């Protein structure tokens, strides 16, 4: 099992803290932090971007150590300036309050979806590819971008294996299935899951974002079809005979339903019991939810025949890579988030002032663009949370008079998470699987440039399109 080093590395300090006296650590003062505090975070992003290009062998052998080194460089100044108690408290908060639930949900969806084997051979025509992307986009809000991506990425890669041009298929798959498609449900994408846990109604996204999502997804599918049609004319004809499509490991569909039911049930169940772990409040329902998700993943391993995963080409490397790299990201981002949360007294004051009008009301278009662009490089879940709190953090108000602001934050974090490999966790998982299968995926900057050329014009259109509600210039 994916060598849960990030999990075991987390449990040891937590156990030590729980056995020691709960000394109150000083809170990190984001207003006092300068640009140098963001160097480790910039460093880990540049390592992810350039490592596979400049030193691929070293990177693939030691990416976990590199991520851990940047995380240590982020924590060391905190320990020196604010004391080791603050550094330890910041580490525990990042891992327990933010990273743990994030990686457990991804682990469960990755494990369960990996047990679903799509059998048969299909010939990758432009129409079939577009249809698969449309199905994946529609499924993403039901079973999550991770679940939809993990179920469909392997059959899509198999279908296109004989084509000379197939990189664009995976790139559009990341855009649509791993990001855009998750905009209509808290189960679809981590930022909306964060909002759901903060009190946003489960059906709020589909009620307020369906029109925008339909427009963006429809235009992307049209662009993809035309591009794939052009490439198909330059590819040699496929020689593989087609075979009927079928599914094996069907028990995993029930387990995915169990994951959904667990998330919904634990969100409704609030016993009011919390555990204080060195200043971080851990709610009982969250612990129960994460434990059940791990059990569901283990049941999938137990109940699914090994040959199904073997035929799927299933390995633990993609989730292992995501777990290690995002553990480093969640730790290295600590000072950056503190500077953002400092508001107008922090380094990002000009950025935060730009999202508020002179009369104090939020400006929806800047919220959309700033949340989105920061989501592309800071990971969309914590970025959503920062701007959610910046907009007041009161669910009733954000779902009512400030519904446009919440829509802008939601769309920015979900849609623009597709702009880089680190914007949303499934992006990197799909990249890792495609690379494992021999597809020559573009590097970090190459991917960002390609996707930006497609998405930025669509987002500009979305910004000013008069028929789209809830996104208006003030």
């Amino acid at each position: 099992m994916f060598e849960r080093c990030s999990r075991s590395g987390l449990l040891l300090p937590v156990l030590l803290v729980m056995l020691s006296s709960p000394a109150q650590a000083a809170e990190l003062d984001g207003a006092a932090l300068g640009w140098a505090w963001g160097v480790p975070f910039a460093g880990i992003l540049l390592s992810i971007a350039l490592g596979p290009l400049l030193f691929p062998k070293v990177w693939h052998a030691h990416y976990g150590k590199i991520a851990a080194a940047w995380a240590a460089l982020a924590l060391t100044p905190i320990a020196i300036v604010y004391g080791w108690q603050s550094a330890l408290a910041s580490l525990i908060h990042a891992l327990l309050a933010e990273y743990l639930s994030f990686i457990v949900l991804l682990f469960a969806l990755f494990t369960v979806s990996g047990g679903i084997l799509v059998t048969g051979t299909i010939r990758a025509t432009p129409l079939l590819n577009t249809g698969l992307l449309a199905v994946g986009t529609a499924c993403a809000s039901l079973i999550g971008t991770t679940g939809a991506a993990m179920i469909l990425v392997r059959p899509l890669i198999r279908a296109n294996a004989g084509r000379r041009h197939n990189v664009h298929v995976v790139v559009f798959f990341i855009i649509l299935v791993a990001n855009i498609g998750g905009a209509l449900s808290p189960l679809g994408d981590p930022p909306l899951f964060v909002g759901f846990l903060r009190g946003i109604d489960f059906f709020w996204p589909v009620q307020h974002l369906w029109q925008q999502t339909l427009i963006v997804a429809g235009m992307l599918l049209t662009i993809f079809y035309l591009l794939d049609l052009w490439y198909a004319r330059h590819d040699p004809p496929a020689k593989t005979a087609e075979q009927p499509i079928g599914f094996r490991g069907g028990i995993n569909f029930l387990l995915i339903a169990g994951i959904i039911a667990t998330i919904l049930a634990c969100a409704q169940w609030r016993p009011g019991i919390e555990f204080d772990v060195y200043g971080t409040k851990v709610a009982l329902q969250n612990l129960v939810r994460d434990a059940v998700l791990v059990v569901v993943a283990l049941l999938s391993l137990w109940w699914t025949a090994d040959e199904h995963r073997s035929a799927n080409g299933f390995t633990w490397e993609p989730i292992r890579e995501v777990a290690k790299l995002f553990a480093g990201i969640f730790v290295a981002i600590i000072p950056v988030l503190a500077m953002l949360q400092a508001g107008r007294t922090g380094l990002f004051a000009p950025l935060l002032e730009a999202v508020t009008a002179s009369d104090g009301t939020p400006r929806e278009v800047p919220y959309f663009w700033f949340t989105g662009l920061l989501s592309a490089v800071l990971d969309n879940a914590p970025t959503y949370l920062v701007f959610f709190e910046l907009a007041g953090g009161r669910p009733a108000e954000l779902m009512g008079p400030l519904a446009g602001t919440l829509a802008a934050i939601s769309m920015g974090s979900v849609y623009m998470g597709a702009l880089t490999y680190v914007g949303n966790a499934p992006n990197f998982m799909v990249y890792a699987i495609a690379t494992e299968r021999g597809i020559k995926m573009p590097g970090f900057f190459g991917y960002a440039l390609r996707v930006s050329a497609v998405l930025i014009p669509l987002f500009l259109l979305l910004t000013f399109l008069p028929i789209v509600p809830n996104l208006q210039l003030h």
Side-chain angles (χ1 to χ4, degrees):
M1 190 183 300
F2 83 94
E3 294 179 5
R4 299 187 56 79
C5 25
S6 60
R7 183 82 176 266
S8 60
L10 164 66
L11 288 176
L12 180 58
V14 170
L15 288 173
L16 291 174
V17 169
M18 294 178 75
L19 291 172
S20 64
S21 59
Q24 187 65 33
E27 190 172 336
L28 194 61
D29 182 11
L33 304 182
W35 288 109
W37 291 81
V39 169
F41 180 68
I44 193 170
L45 291 184
L46 286 173
S47 298
I48 293 171
L50 301 177
L53 296 176
L54 301 182
F55 40 94
K57 292 184 178 179
V58 174
W59 173 256
H60 290 300
H62 302 289
Y63 61 81
K65 299 183 183 69
I66 295 172
W70 286 117
L73 285 175
L75 289 173
T76 300
I78 298 175
I80 294 173
V81 176
Y82 294 98
W84 68 267
Q85 295 96 336
S86 286
L88 183 57
S90 298
L91 173 64
I92 290 173
H93 180 80
L95 296 180
L96 269 185
E98 298 167 358
Y99 174 76
L100 181 61
S101 294
F102 167 84
I103 198 61
V104 166
L105 178 60
L106 288 181
F107 168 66
L109 288 171
F110 177 83
T111 304
V112 175
S113 60
I116 299 173
L117 174 62
V118 181
T119 60
T121 304
I122 52 180
R123 187 167 60 91
T125 65
L127 187 61
L128 185 137
N129 277 338
T130 305
L132 281 176
L133 291 184
V135 169
T137 303
C139 290
S141 285
L142 298 175
I143 61 175
T145 51
T146 298
M150 293 304 100
I151 290 173
L152 291 175
V153 64
R154 294 179 180 90
L156 186 72
I157 290 174
R158 283 202 306 269
N160 289 272
R163 294 185 55 177
R164 182 183 305 155
H165 302 95
N166 53 19
V167 172
H168 69 286
V169 178
V170 181
V171 169
F172 273 84
F173 183 88
I174 293 175
I175 296 172
L176 283 160
V177 181
N179 290 276
I180 304 293
L184 303 182
S185 162
L187 302 175
D189 217 41
L192 302 183
F193 183 58
V194 171
F196 177 60
L197 295 178
R198 291 293 175 121
I200 301 301
D201 289 345
F202 184 86
F203 294 104
W204 192 93
V206 70
Q207 291 170 348
H208 291 80
L209 304 181
W210 71 268
Q211 190 175 7
Q212 298 95 320
T213 302
L214 185 62
I215 291 171
V216 174
M219 296 186 72
L220 284 168
L221 288 170
T222 302
I223 293 170
F224 170 79
Y225 176 77
L226 295 175
L227 181 64
D228 200 42
L229 186 64
W230 187 84
Y231 275 128
R233 293 173 178 171
H234 297 80
D235 286 336
K239 300 179 180 180
T240 305
E242 294 191 34
Q243 298 177 358
I245 299 299
F247 292 92
R248 294 181 182 175
I251 186 65
N252 289 284
F253 286 110
L254 294 178
L255 293 177
I256 288 176
I259 291 174
I260 296 172
T262 298
I263 292 172
L264 290 175
C266 289
Q268 299 298 321
W269 176 54
R270 298 182 181 276
I273 300 175
E274 292 184 333
F275 303 95
D276 189 309
V277 183
Y278 216 67
T280 295
K281 302 291 184 182
V282 182
L284 176 62
Q285 65 267 26
N286 293 340
L287 292 176
V288 171
R289 181 194 63 223
D290 293 344
V292 172
L293 292 181
V294 171
V295 170
V296 169
L298 294 176
L299 288 175
S300 175
L301 292 173
W302 184 23
W303 289 341
T304 305
D306 291 341
E307 55 264 27
H308 294 171
R309 295 184 190 275
S310 177
N312 245 345
F314 180 90
T315 70
W316 293 111
E317 181 56 28
I319 190 66
R320 183 186 296 122
E321 186 169 4
V322 167
K324 291 180 179 180
L325 292 180
F326 274 85
I329 288 173
F330 271 78
V331 175
I333 201 176
I334 291 172
V336 178
L337 288 180
M339 287 187 278
L340 279 169
Q341 290 166 342
R344 291 174 176 81
T345 62
L347 191 64
F348 291 100
L351 172 66
L352 300 180
E353 288 176 1
V355 300
T356 306
S358 57
D359 60 357
T361 58
R363 302 173 63 201
E364 294 164 8
V365 168
Y367 260 106
F368 171 65
W369 282 97
F370 285 130
T371 304
L373 293 176
L374 286 173
S375 290
V377 295
L378 300 182
D379 183 66
N380 56 7
T383 304
Y384 172 97
L385 181 58
V386 168
F387 283 92
F388 182 92
E389 295 296 332
L390 183 67
R394 293 179 290 275
E397 186 176 338
L398 286 169
M399 289 187 292
L402 298 182
T405 303
L406 182 58
I409 295 170
S410 301
M411 288 189 295
S413 59
V414 175
Y415 295 170
M416 297 198 204
L419 289 174
T420 71
Y421 285 135
V422 298
N424 197 18
N427 302 2
F428 216 95
M429 298 169 96
V430 172
Y431 164 82
I433 291 172
T435 302
E436 264 189 336
R437 296 300 183 90
I439 296 179
K440 296 181 179 180
M441 292 294 292
F444 185 91
F445 294 112
Y447 169 85
L449 287 173
R450 294 185 190 199
V451 173
S452 296
V454 175
L455 289 183
I456 296 299
L458 290 183
F459 296 152
L460 287 170
L461 176 65
L462 183 65
T463 301
F464 299 105
L465 203 61
I467 65 171
V468 176
N470 296 329
L471 191 58
Q472 303 168 359
L473 283 168
H474 286 304

